[in-house]
C-alpha cells in the first residue's frame, strides 16, 4: 500500500525526473527527505509494480507511429490465458488484456494493441498474430483509431 | 516529423526502462551509450521539449496506485458524434477518447482515484447521452515487453 510520502513522490515525478546531475537528491530536497529514502522507495515501488519502469517514455505519434490498431479476438474462454500470454510476448504488442464480451455486437474477449508507422504495417503484424493464434480464434477484427478526441496523462493528486 | 540523429535514437531505444537508481544516474546510463552526463541531460531535455518523449522518468501504474481504469465503448449515431464526444470528454475522469472505425465507434478510458467512481461516471454518461455504454474492464492483463524502435 502507498503512504502519504509515496503519493508525494508520485506527484513530484509524474511529469518526469529532474534533469540535473543528482535527480534523486533534487527530489529529496523538494520533499524534505534524504536521498537514500527516495531511492529506497523508488526501488520498492518498481518491485511492487506501482512503477512499471523508469526511463524514456516515448510519444508514439511524434516518433512516426501514427497507425494504432486495436486487434480484438474471440478466443474460447479456456484457451485465453495461454493465447493471451503468447500474444502479449510479441515485441510489437503494446497492451494485451482479456475483457468481457458484449454479444452479439461484441463477441471479442482478447485485446492486443498494435502500433505501427502505417496501417499496412499494423495489418501485417495482426496477420502474424493470426498465424500464432491459429484456429483458437473464432473471429477477429482490427479497429483503427480515426481521431483522438481526448488525451490526458495520468494525474494523481498528492 | 523531424528525423532523429543516432544519439537520440540510442537514448530512445536504449533507455525505455532500467534507468539507474544511483547518485549520478545520467552519468551511469550515459556510460553505456557512450555519452557524458551533460550530453545525456541535454539530449533528454531536447527530446522532451521537442515532444519525441512524453517525459523522462517513472511510468506509474494507475491501478497499483489504488485507482481504477476501465475501457468503455459507445455506438454513437453518426449525426450525434460531436455532441456525444463533447459530453463524454467533459468528465474529468475521461483520460483518453478515440474515434474508431466500427459500429462501436467511440472508445474511452475512465480513470478514477476511487474504483466505485467508474460505475458512477458510466451511469452519468448513459443518462446524459441516452446511449448505452459497454464497460470493458480488463479481467486479465498479459505481460508485454513492448519497446518502440526508432
Amino acid at each position: 500500500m502507498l503512504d502519504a510520502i509515496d503519493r508525494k513522490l508520485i506527484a513530484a515525478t509524474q511529469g518526469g525526473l529532474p534533469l540535473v546531475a543528482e535527480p534523486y537528491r533534487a527530489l529529496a530536497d523538494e520533499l524534505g527527505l534524504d536521498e537514500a529514502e527516495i531511492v529506497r522507495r523508488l526501488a520498492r515501488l518498481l518491485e511492487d509494480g506501482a512503477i512499471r519502469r523508469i526511463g524514456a517514455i516515448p510519444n508514439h505519434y511524434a516518433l512516426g507511429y501514427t497507425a494504432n490498431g486495436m486487434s480484438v479476438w474471440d478466443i474460447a474462454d479456456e484457451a485465453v490465458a495461454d493465447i493471451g500470454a503468447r500474444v502479449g510476448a510479441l515485441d510489437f504488442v503494446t497492451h494485451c488484456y482479456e475483457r468481457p464480451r458484449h454479444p452479439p455486437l461484441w463477441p471479442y474477449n482478447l485485446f492486443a494493441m498494435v502500433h505501427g508507422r502505417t496501417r499496412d504495417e499494423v495489418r501485417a503484424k495482426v496477420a502474424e498474430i493470426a498465424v500464432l493464434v491459429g484456429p483458437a480464434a473464432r473471429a477477429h477484427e482490427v479497429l483503427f483509431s480515426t481521431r483522438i478526441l481526448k488525451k490526458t496523462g495520468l494525474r494523481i493528486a498528492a | 516529423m523531424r528525423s532523429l540523429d543516432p544519439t537520440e535514437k540510442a537514448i530512445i531505444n536504449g533507455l525505455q526502462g532500467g534507468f539507474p537508481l544511483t547518485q549520478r544516474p545520467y552519468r551511469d546510463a550515459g556510460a553505456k551509450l557512450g555519452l557524458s552526463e551533460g550530453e545525456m541531460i541535454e539530449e533528454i531535455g531536447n527530446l522532451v521539449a521537442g515532444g519525441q518523449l512524453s517525459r523522462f522518468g517513472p511510468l506509474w501504474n494507475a491501478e497499483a496506485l489504488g485507482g481504477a481504469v476501465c475501457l468503455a465503448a459507445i455506438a454513437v449515431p453518426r449525426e450525434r458524434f460531436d455532441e456525444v464526444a463533447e459530453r463524454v470528454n467533459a468528465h474529468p475522469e475521461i483520460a483518453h477518447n478515440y474515434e474508431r472505425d466500427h459500429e462501436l465507434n467511440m472508445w474511452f478510458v475512465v480513470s478514477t482515484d476511487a474504483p466505485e467512481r467508474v460505475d458512477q461516471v458510466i451511469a452519468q454518461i448513459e443518462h446524459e447521452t441516452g446511449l448505452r455504454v459497454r464497460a470493458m474492464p480488463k479481467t486479465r492483463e498479459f505481460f508485454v515487453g513492448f519497446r518502440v524502435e526508432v
Side-chain angles (χ1 to χ4, degrees):
Chain A
M1 246 345 263
L2 302 176
D3 63 20
I5 295 174
D6 290 332
R7 297 189 79 82
K8 281 187 187 167
L9 191 53
I10 294 165
T13 61
Q14 63 188 347
L17 283 176
L19 283 166
V20 296
E22 298 183 59
Y24 307 122
R25 176 179 298 276
L27 280 172
D29 291 346
E30 186 184 333
L31 299 177
L33 298 166
D34 68 37
E35 185 179 7
E37 172 76 10
I38 296 283
V39 166
R40 199 158 47 233
R41 283 177 182 268
L42 288 173
R44 172 174 54 76
L45 291 161
L46 262 171
E47 191 173 323
D48 294 347
I51 296 174
R52 291 181 189 273
R53 52 197 163 83
I54 302 178
I57 300 173
N59 176 343
H60 294 143
Y61 285 88
L63 294 172
Y65 282 75
T66 53
N68 145 3
M70 187 173 77
S71 75
V72 293
W73 308 78
D74 175 9
I75 309 282
D77 290 340
E78 61 277 13
V80 74
D82 171 55
I83 299 277
R86 286 158 60 199
V87 171
L90 295 167
D91 61 7
F92 51 80
V93 171
T94 55
H95 303 88
C96 190
Y97 300 118
E98 182 189 14
R99 300 185 185 278
R101 309 166 199 274
H102 292 265
L105 180 59
W106 193 258
Y108 307 110
N109 61 333
L110 182 69
F111 288 55
M113 188 65 76
V114 176
H115 288 269
R117 292 177 184 84
T118 64
R119 287 192 174 197
D120 281 344
E121 190 180 312
V122 171
R123 286 191 193 97
K125 289 171 175 172
V126 172
E128 281 184 52
I129 299 178
V131 170
L132 175 75
V133 174
R138 294 180 286 224
H140 78 274
E141 283 188 70
V142 54
L143 277 66
F144 286 100
S145 66
T146 44
R147 212 167 7 143
I148 301 175
L149 304 167
K150 184 174 184 183
K151 187 168 174 127
T152 54
L154 169 67
R155 284 287 172 265
I156 301 279
Chain B
M1 190 185 80
R2 152 177 103 71
S3 62
L4 300 168
D5 67 33
T7 302
E8 292 171 323
K9 287 185 184 179
I11 290 173
I12 294 172
N13 290 339
L15 256 187
Q16 286 173 48
F19 191 62
L21 289 169
T22 55
Q23 267 188 333
R24 306 276 293 273
Y26 295 104
R27 180 193 64 187
D28 298 340
K32 292 185 187 140
L33 302 173
L35 295 171
S36 73
E37 183 176 55
E39 287 170 327
M40 282 287 288
I41 290 172
E42 186 183 340
E43 294 281 352
I44 292 169
N46 288 341
L47 287 168
V48 172
Q52 290 86 8
L53 296 183
S54 302
R55 58 192 184 279
F56 188 92
L59 180 63
W60 294 95
N61 173 358
E63 279 118 349
L65 305 180
V69 175
C70 183
L71 179 69
I74 311 181
V76 182
R78 186 42 52 194
E79 68 279 6
R80 288 193 57 199
F81 196 86
D82 291 345
E83 168 236 330
V84 171
E86 205 168 301
R87 288 180 193 271
V88 169
N89 291 351
H91 292 265
E93 295 86 356
I94 305 304
H96 308 245
N97 188 3
Y98 287 90
E99 179 184 44
R100 293 191 182 275
D101 54 352
H102 189 272
E103 186 179 342
L104 285 170
N105 53 358
M106 187 178 291
W107 290 78
F108 53 91
V109 172
V110 184
S111 177
T112 65
D113 280 349
E116 64 275 13
R117 279 289 295 149
V118 169
D119 289 346
Q120 294 169 3
V121 171
I122 286 175
Q124 276 172 355
I125 290 173
E126 288 192 324
H127 178 73
E128 290 165 6
T129 62
L131 298 171
R132 182 164 163 205
V133 176
R134 266 106 175 160
M136 304 200 194
K138 66 185 177 195
T139 46
R140 206 188 312 238
E141 175 168 358
F142 300 103
F143 175 81
V144 292
F146 176 79
R147 285 171 185 229
V148 174
E149 279 287 323
V150 293

